[in-house]
Amino acid sequence: MNRTRVRHALLVSILLASCLWVKEEVWAGQAGGCNPKQYAAERDKMVREQIRKRGIKDDSVLRAMGKVPRHCFVPREFEDEAYDDHPIPIGKGQTISQPYIVALMTELLQVKPSDRVLEVGTGSGYQSAVLSGLVNRVFTIEIYPALSRKAGALLKALEYRNIALKQGDGYFGWNEHAPFDAIIVTAASNQIPPPLLRQLKPGGRMCIPVGGAYQVQQLMFIRKKHDGTITTRAVLPVRFVPLLGGH
Ligand code: SAH
């Protein structure tokens, strides 16, 4: 009797262990080896200490930043730094922005659930994922094919279903899906690209770092009024990678 029980217990634990192993394998295949459920405490701490404390108040933005598994969007070797207070290299000389800057730009856009948003500079796909939960549709453009493919596969594996990706020069926007309620550019440009201004809805908002490559730039907030006039405001000095392309 006792021996049967022991055998049963053994069988059950072997089954459980193999289920867990299969689950790990599934994550490894789906999302570049990351488990989105990990790092919950680090993520909470990031939201509290880097984002809320520095003045980000919009609850929906704070919630989105607390939800997206940032560690899945950085290369494996940087996983344990994913929630630290700095940008991280993602390949091709590009970086995933510092968490506070992602939150600040997202808050500046003042998005609502029915909005359609364009992002220029997909990079890792992290900013798209943050926006995904806040708006109706995200359109994102990346100039490097390898980064675009990688971000696309990851966003699909993590089941962000309302993000459309395109590989190309985002300077020219995405005309087929214009106009947009909000546009976010996550690479620095010497000027505000006129095609992007054209693709912004009246009443729309844009956020873009303006300035020279590898210099301190100004994060600009732009609003297109309902009569079509444009207002701009410098928000903060920032340092972004440059907007590339043939424009
Ligand atoms: N938003 C990204 C980080 C962006 S880094 C994230 O959340 O990870 C800036 C990105 O802009 C880089 O991936 C870079 O390759 C891309 N980029 C630079 N110039 C571009 C252009 N003209 N069109 C589209 N993407 C561009």
Side-chain angles (χ1 to χ4, degrees):
M1 186 68 177
N2 250 349
R3 277 207 0 226
T4 326
R5 272 206 189 144
V6 170
R7 236 185 279 146
H8 264 141
L10 207 65
L11 198 68
V12 167
S13 45
I14 289 171
L15 271 174
L16 266 175
S18 57
C19 282
L20 287 175
W21 180 76
V22 167
K23 198 161 175 238
E24 285 298 316
E25 283 298 291
V26 169
W27 286 124
Q30 279 186 342
C34 89
N35 177 352
K37 294 208 162 47
Q38 283 179 331
Y39 294 100
E42 286 82 355
R43 202 156 44 244
D44 282 354
K45 189 165 175 238
M46 170 192 86
V47 172
R48 263 195 333 271
E49 294 186 0
Q50 298 172 39
I51 299 175
R52 195 193 289 272
K53 242 189 210 166
R54 290 191 181 128
I56 304 296
K57 291 191 184 74
D58 187 327
D59 269 334
S60 62
V61 174
L62 294 168
R63 246 180 284 126
M65 296 293 299
K67 219 163 147 188
V68 178
R70 184 172 162 93
H71 62 283
C72 294
F73 292 84
V74 303
R76 216 38 190 309
E77 65 267 32
F78 291 107
E79 208 182 272
D80 58 353
E81 288 178 40
Y83 297 94
D84 292 356
D85 194 13
H86 54 74
I88 292 174
I90 54 169
K92 302 279 171 205
Q94 306 305 319
T95 54
I96 177 175
S97 307
Q98 178 191 5
Y100 170 66
I101 294 294
V102 175
L104 176 66
M105 290 176 88
T106 309
E107 185 176 65
L108 281 168
L109 292 179
Q110 301 160 50
V111 289
K112 52 186 187 311
S114 58
D115 280 358
R116 294 151 54 81
V117 180
L118 174 70
E119 179 194 23
V120 175
T122 313
S124 68
Y126 177 67
Q127 174 76 68
S128 292
V130 170
L131 284 165
S132 164
L134 298 171
V135 303
N136 183 18
R137 290 202 70 186
V138 180
F139 300 87
T140 182
I141 310 175
E142 169 58 48
I143 203 160
Y144 281 112
L147 291 180
S148 180
R149 272 197 304 274
K150 196 169 173 203
L154 179 61
L155 291 167
K156 191 168 172 216
L158 294 172
E159 298 182 357
Y160 292 98
R161 295 183 209 279
N162 60 346
I163 303 174
L165 293 97
K166 170 170 128 166
Q167 186 270 315
D169 187 348
Y171 178 92
F172 301 102
W174 197 338
N175 222 352
E176 301 92 292
H177 295 292
F180 301 99
D181 299 281
I183 299 179
I184 175 169
V185 183
T186 59
S189 175
N190 275 317
Q191 52 154 332
I192 302 165
L196 297 184
L197 280 179
R198 278 197 294 277
Q199 291 177 23
L200 195 59
K201 260 188 204 169
R205 294 83 52 204
M206 189 194 307
C207 205
I208 177 173
V210 176
Y214 308 109
Q215 295 171 358
V216 173
Q217 305 118 10
Q218 280 297 333
L219 182 62
M220 302 295 295
F221 174 69
I222 295 136
R223 186 187 285 279
K224 190 188 237 183
K225 290 193 186 163
H226 287 280
D227 65 5
T229 52
I230 302 286
T231 62
T232 64
R233 172 164 70 87
V235 179
L236 191 77
V238 285
R239 200 182 281 261
F240 274 79
V241 292
L243 190 73
L244 310 168
H247 49 269

